[in-house]
Amino acid sequence: MAALTDQNSAQAEGANVRQPVTGLSVTCMRCGSTFPGNRPFTVCPSCGGLLDADINLDQQLTPDAFAALIGTSEAFSGVWRFAQLLPPIPREHIVSRGEGNTPLYWDDRLAGYAGLTGGRFGIKHEGHNPTGSFKDRGMTVGVSHARAIGARALACASTGNTSASLASYAASAGLPALVIIPEGRISASKLSQTIAFGATVVQIDGDFDLALRLLRLLADTGAVYLANSVNPFRPEGQKTIVFEILEHFGWNVPDVIALPGGNLGNTAAFGKALSEAYQVGLIGTLPRIVTVQAAGAAPFAAYYESGFDHYAPVKAETIATAIKVGDPASVDRARRSIELTGGIVTTATDEELLDAKALIDRIGIGCEPASAASLAGIRKLVESGEIAPDATVVGVVTAHVLKDTDAIVAYHLNDGLDGNRRTFANRPLTIPAELDALQRVLDDAIHD
Ligand code: F0G
């Protein structure tokens, strides 16, 4: 075990740590040093590399292992019911809002749109979490860890969903939360949630990347517990999206699991989940992870294209504000996930994202624009022949349709960039208040 550095001691002495917890540790993916997990962490105190929370992989598990928790308080949560593969945070510190246990929808119209003739496309809908996004799965672990180590204040930088989730979980725990957001660049719905849940909201004149850099400076002083996914405990909860997908397949695997990529915490979590499920004997093969970035915010896709030879941050620009990230914090961990699973990183333009989102909405499921990256990306990869048309694909839809209502109205009421009405546009009609007019509208609707 490497010695703790001054920076680490400073963190331990800061406002954050009051009580010891045992049994938790983290390991640096770059230098391999291991540290006790009883303090807030962002990066490796020795070398600055990204940290992983350690999980007991000396066990062999069968699916029955999880059934053992049925009837306990852990079973209430789609995260904590997989406790055997999570950091052993003492039960009395767990802050849960009953996250996870989200539905998996199958619909032939999605498969058809993706070009999966003979294949299947299912949506794992993370918008069904308490605050409407997958972040709640990570946040229950992050906030529980913060509570276990006696943190007194939590903070995150966010494009909106992390802030809404942190605000809610911190409020549940009775802890203050500080969020830093790029002013004018997050959706009103997410900002509203964050304000309503009582977080202190700080808006900066800058983008998400700047907000996160600023927050990391503050976290390094020990003043706050950093709840972004660079914190090794956050991705732990997000692993359970994969566990639920595997469970759905009877602990077999689909061919592909696709997801949007922004700050890349989820891509990191998915690879770790698959690796661990494999090592403890729950699965015998791995699905491919496909990460889809917005074309205007795609430094990881460019890195992948270079054969993971050259990484360069970008100035992010996309309508999908949730994934408007130009310098993702978890690049190295995400690369590991792609390499482990023979995965693919691709991009979708804003128009492709919006059309895919509009279809997901139109079939009654609904999601926010960034979430549709899974479907938009798979459609392109099937078209290019990189994914077989008979593949079984699970696309993770990361957030709820109500997360960005402005984007919905803009899509349906405005024409596309080419000046044409958008593919799935559904414009409200204005008619005289007369029965005839109403009947004509009904006729048109039925014959459409
Ligand atoms: N989808 C949604 C709806 C998101 O909010 C995010 C990230 C992602 C996908 C990308 O996930 O960062 O793990 O690659 N939102 C962050 C936030 C950045 O602050 O809410 P990732």
Side-chain angles (χ1 to χ4, degrees):
M1 188 176 293
L4 295 179
T5 64
D6 289 339
Q7 182 201 358
N8 215 276
S9 311
Q11 286 183 354
E13 286 158 13
N16 265 307
V17 180
R18 280 181 296 165
Q19 33 188 301
V21 255
T22 54
L24 298 174
S25 62
V26 296
T27 297
C28 175
M29 69 168 286
R30 188 193 290 165
C31 73
S33 302
T34 297
F35 305 91
N38 60 356
R39 62 196 63 212
F41 277 111
T42 52
V43 290
C44 174
S46 290
C47 77
L50 291 167
L51 296 163
D52 291 313
D54 293 331
I55 298 301
N56 173 14
L57 297 175
D58 293 332
Q59 52 182 341
Q60 285 293 296
L61 294 178
T62 64
D64 293 346
F66 304 121
L69 290 173
I70 290 173
T72 68
S73 57
E74 280 89 346
F76 164 68
S77 159
V79 171
W80 294 104
R81 69 190 179 89
F82 296 104
Q84 289 92 332
L85 290 174
L86 297 179
I89 294 170
R91 179 180 282 188
E92 65 270 24
H93 296 302
I94 288 178
V95 182
S96 171
R97 292 202 50 215
E99 51 290 315
N101 290 323
T102 56
L104 182 53
Y105 297 116
W106 297 99
D107 194 299
D108 290 345
R109 288 169 288 187
L110 298 172
Y113 184 77
L116 292 167
T117 45
R120 295 202 297 159
F121 191 95
I123 280 184
K124 178 69 172 163
H125 207 317
E126 290 298 304
H128 288 242
N129 275 293
T131 74
S133 86
F134 73 95
K135 305 287 181 182
D136 297 341
R137 293 195 192 245
M139 212 51 82
T140 183
V141 181
V143 173
S144 299
H145 176 248
R147 207 167 158 218
I149 66 170
R152 290 179 211 153
L154 296 98
C156 73
S158 182
T159 58
N161 282 321
T162 301
S163 60
S165 183
L166 173 63
S168 168
Y169 279 74
S172 297
L175 288 166
L178 170 74
V179 311
I180 310 183
I181 56 170
E183 186 170 16
R185 299 179 212 191
I186 79 169
S187 86
S189 327
K190 298 173 192 176
L191 179 57
S192 315
Q193 282 183 293
T194 309
I195 294 170
F197 292 136
T200 299
V201 178
V202 177
Q203 313 197 69
I204 60 156
D205 180 15
D207 56 15
F208 167 82
D209 301 292
L210 181 62
L212 184 56
R213 277 203 298 280
L214 181 63
L215 178 61
R216 288 172 79 155
L217 292 176
L218 180 67
D220 282 348
T221 69
V224 290
Y225 180 98
L226 188 135
N228 282 92
S229 57
V230 65
N231 170 334
F233 290 91
R234 267 277 314 275
E236 290 302 308
Q238 291 163 211
K239 291 186 325 195
T240 61
I241 302 171
V242 167
F243 296 153
E244 285 189 2
I245 293 171
L246 298 177
E247 184 181 50
H248 174 88
F249 281 86
W251 297 93
N252 289 307
V253 301
D255 297 309
V256 172
I257 298 179
L259 77 164
N263 210 25
L264 298 176
N266 231 12
T267 302
F270 281 27
K272 191 167 189 280
L274 289 169
S275 166
E276 290 170 358
Y278 182 84
Q279 289 180 72
V280 300
L282 283 165
I283 53 172
T285 52
L286 300 176
R288 300 175 86 182
I289 293 177
V290 169
T291 298
V292 187
Q293 296 204 286
F300 188 51
Y303 187 36
Y304 169 82
E305 281 301 322
S306 77
F308 288 128
D309 184 52
H310 178 69
Y311 170 76
V314 301
K315 183 91 192 129
E317 201 43 71
T318 170
I319 197 159
T321 50
I323 51 175
K324 191 168 167 184
V325 180
D327 190 11
S330 283
V331 167
D332 292 346
R333 289 173 179 156
R335 171 183 173 173
R336 181 178 60 184
S337 297
I338 297 298
E339 289 182 330
L340 173 80
T341 65
I344 303 173
V345 189
T346 191
T347 61
T349 65
D350 282 358
E351 287 297 311
E352 289 165 342
L353 289 176
L354 289 175
D355 278 345
K357 171 200 151 41
L359 175 66
I360 294 170
D361 293 353
R362 182 71 160 254
I363 65 171
I365 293 175
C367 67
E368 76 155 278
S371 300
S374 308
L375 179 61
I378 292 299
R379 178 178 157 98
K380 292 179 83 168
L381 293 173
V382 173
E383 198 180 349
S384 69
E386 285 171 87
I387 291 190
D390 63 353
T392 296
V393 179
V394 174
V396 177
V397 157
T398 42
H400 197 274
V401 66
L402 292 176
K403 282 288 193 172
D404 194 347
T405 48
D406 288 346
I408 299 174
V409 174
Y411 176 90
H412 291 280
L413 267 51
N414 302 331
D415 289 334
L417 291 179
D418 57 6
N420 293 324
R421 188 185 166 106
R422 288 182 157 118
T423 317
F424 299 103
N426 177 25
R427 293 195 180 152
L429 305 169
T430 306
I431 60 164
E434 293 163 6
L435 185 58
D436 278 1
L438 197 54
Q439 273 169 338
R440 275 197 299 280
V441 170
L442 181 63
D443 282 350
D444 288 349
I446 290 171
H447 294 118
D448 238 3

